[in-house]
Amino acid sequence: MEVIIISMKIKGTTRITGVFGYPVNHSLSPIFQNAAFDYLKLDYVYIPLEVKPENLKIAVESIKIFNWIGVNVTIPHKKEVIKYLDELDESSEILSVVNTIHNIDGKLKGYTTDGDGFIRSLKEDGKFNIKNKNVFIIGAGGSSYAICGALIKERVKSIFITNRTYENARKLKEHLKKKLNFKNIEIIEFEKRNDRKIWENIDLLINTTSVGMKENDPLLIEKINIEKVQFVYDIVYNRKTELLKSAEYLKISNLDGISMLVYQGAISFEIWTGKKAPVDIMKKAICEKIKK
Ligand code: ATR
């Protein structure tokens, strides 16, 4: 499908949205959100908004003052922003993070769409059903919290977590136990992640770390173990990682982070516009940008 970017016309009626971040100049969201608005001929515009941490409060107030439809929120504001909002959806309440704000008649509601974006990408692009599956996750940072929360909501059977820093994996396990009452979690020490017996029953392998973003990054899981899983998901999106190259070589179904990036943005788009997001158009816009 071809993306046709119609030159944007800002009018008196144009609804404004964007992304608050610091830095924000690396964000791909303006590219695919504006492509989606253009494609559906919606009178919306999405702009990058550099917000320093000390200006976050006033920036959030400006959403109401200027009657913007809402914004995305990215690093470093995802947690800090919560105290300035009027309401949170269930996932952002549980995970204490927000990446999307919707201005509903002057009340600001926070959402987190990363986890649901991950699940939607797994279902729609990966055709993979997560219910009752055993999952092995590398990483215990923000993305891992969002993904674990969403997997549990989708009734995954068990989660194995490995992380470079054991303490962070322990905190994630405790969090999931306390907030979601999910007990089927095992921490695998980072040095033991390739023990053969762990891999006997793993269905899905997910990398949530930044390992793979750089060209000489190592393959954290040995091929003999990757070979045993049904599906490999790597949230890195800037290049084809060693993990994904291995999955492809072994003919194992796989997805990269572009899919998650698009679906988390698609859910934000749907929250703001009430319309189904044109995910193929959004994907194409990102791929064209990344290839350049
Ligand atoms: P995000 O919000 O994208 O998840 P994050 O919260 O900074 O980012 O988390 C990054 C994750 O990548 C963490 O699990 C981190 O491990 P630590 O808890 O030990 O910091 C992991 N990570 C980053 N660089 C890594 C590396 N070189 N090897 C292994 N894990 C790494």
Side-chain angles (χ1 to χ4, degrees):
M1 204 185 301
E2 201 162 299
V3 188
I4 302 160
I5 309 282
I6 304 152
S7 59
M8 214 174 296
K9 288 198 178 72
I10 310 276
K11 298 177 284 202
T13 49
T14 303
R15 301 303 315 266
I16 297 174
T17 179
V19 53
F20 287 177
Y22 188 73
V24 79
N25 52 3
H26 65 282
S27 175
L28 292 170
S29 299
I31 312 251
F32 67 81
Q33 295 289 4
N34 285 319
F37 293 146
D38 276 351
Y39 181 76
L40 293 182
K41 298 189 174 58
L42 296 176
D43 189 14
Y44 286 71
V45 66
Y46 188 105
I47 49 179
L49 296 151
E50 186 177 279
V51 176
K52 289 186 180 153
E54 62 269 29
N55 293 328
L56 182 61
K57 182 171 189 281
I58 198 158
V60 174
E61 280 166 9
S62 68
I63 300 172
K64 290 186 188 180
I65 293 167
F66 296 121
N67 194 25
W68 293 346
I69 195 73
V71 292
N72 281 135
V73 181
T74 188
I75 293 167
H77 307 309
K78 284 185 175 188
K79 280 188 177 288
E80 199 57 25
V81 76
I82 288 178
K83 59 174 175 279
Y84 306 124
L85 303 180
D86 300 303
E87 205 187 328
L88 294 180
D89 85 323
E90 199 189 349
S91 300
S92 46
E93 180 93 58
I94 289 169
L95 297 165
S96 301
V97 288
V98 159
N99 76 342
T100 305
I101 300 174
H102 187 200
N103 180 6
I104 309 163
D105 301 326
K107 291 248 178 290
L108 301 183
K109 183 168 180 180
Y111 300 80
T112 174
T113 67
D114 288 334
D116 288 344
F118 173 83
I119 295 293
R120 221 166 117 181
S121 102
L122 200 54
K123 282 184 186 167
E124 291 181 27
D125 285 352
K127 312 284 175 229
F128 188 82
N129 182 5
I130 194 63
K131 196 175 167 196
N132 263 325
K133 298 291 198 306
N134 299 309
V135 183
F136 190 102
I137 297 191
I138 315 168
S143 308
S144 186
Y145 272 72
I147 289 172
C148 286
L151 289 172
I152 292 167
K153 218 164 73 181
E154 293 290 311
R155 299 212 255 131
V156 73
K157 188 170 173 188
S158 66
I159 299 178
F160 296 80
I161 304 168
T162 197
N163 193 51
R164 180 179 60 180
T165 310
Y166 187 90
E167 179 56 15
N168 291 339
R170 197 195 57 75
K171 280 188 192 147
L172 172 56
K173 178 178 168 168
E174 281 313 302
H175 179 91
L176 297 171
K177 248 166 115 176
K178 198 169 129 202
K179 296 273 185 169
L180 294 167
N181 197 27
F182 187 79
K183 300 192 180 83
N184 225 345
I185 309 171
E186 197 176 317
I187 302 176
I188 308 293
E189 284 175 42
F190 202 59
E191 296 67 32
K192 294 187 180 159
R193 66 188 183 277
N194 276 302
D195 280 6
R196 302 284 177 267
K197 63 175 187 326
I198 303 164
W199 293 89
E200 307 272 282
N201 294 311
I202 302 295
D203 301 299
L204 170 64
L205 163 60
I206 309 168
N207 174 45
T208 71
T209 74
S210 48
V211 178
M213 281 172 78
K214 293 194 265 24
E215 207 171 317
N216 292 319
D217 279 352
L219 178 63
L220 293 177
I221 305 299
E222 291 169 8
K223 283 202 181 80
I224 195 165
N225 294 325
I226 298 174
E227 196 169 17
K228 303 224 177 78
V229 312
Q230 291 172 34
F231 203 102
V232 173
Y233 202 119
D234 195 333
I235 72 163
V236 171
Y237 61 77
N238 65 321
R239 61 183 293 275
K240 186 167 279 182
T241 62
E242 291 310 307
L243 179 60
L244 290 185
K245 283 181 196 162
S246 304
E248 248 169 42
Y249 174 79
L250 296 165
K251 298 199 166 40
I252 292 168
S253 306
N254 60 82
L255 276 177
D256 64 28
I258 290 177
S259 180
M260 177 173 170
L261 184 67
V262 165
Y263 281 100
Q264 61 80 31
I267 298 170
S268 302
F269 178 100
E270 289 168 3
I271 289 169
W272 296 323
T273 66
K275 300 211 178 330
K276 189 146 174 56
V279 285
D280 289 343
I281 296 294
M282 297 165 104
K283 235 178 267 172
K284 185 133 198 276
I286 292 190
C287 290
E288 278 173 5
K289 173 70 189 169
I290 286 178
K291 267 188 259 147
K292 271 181 200 160

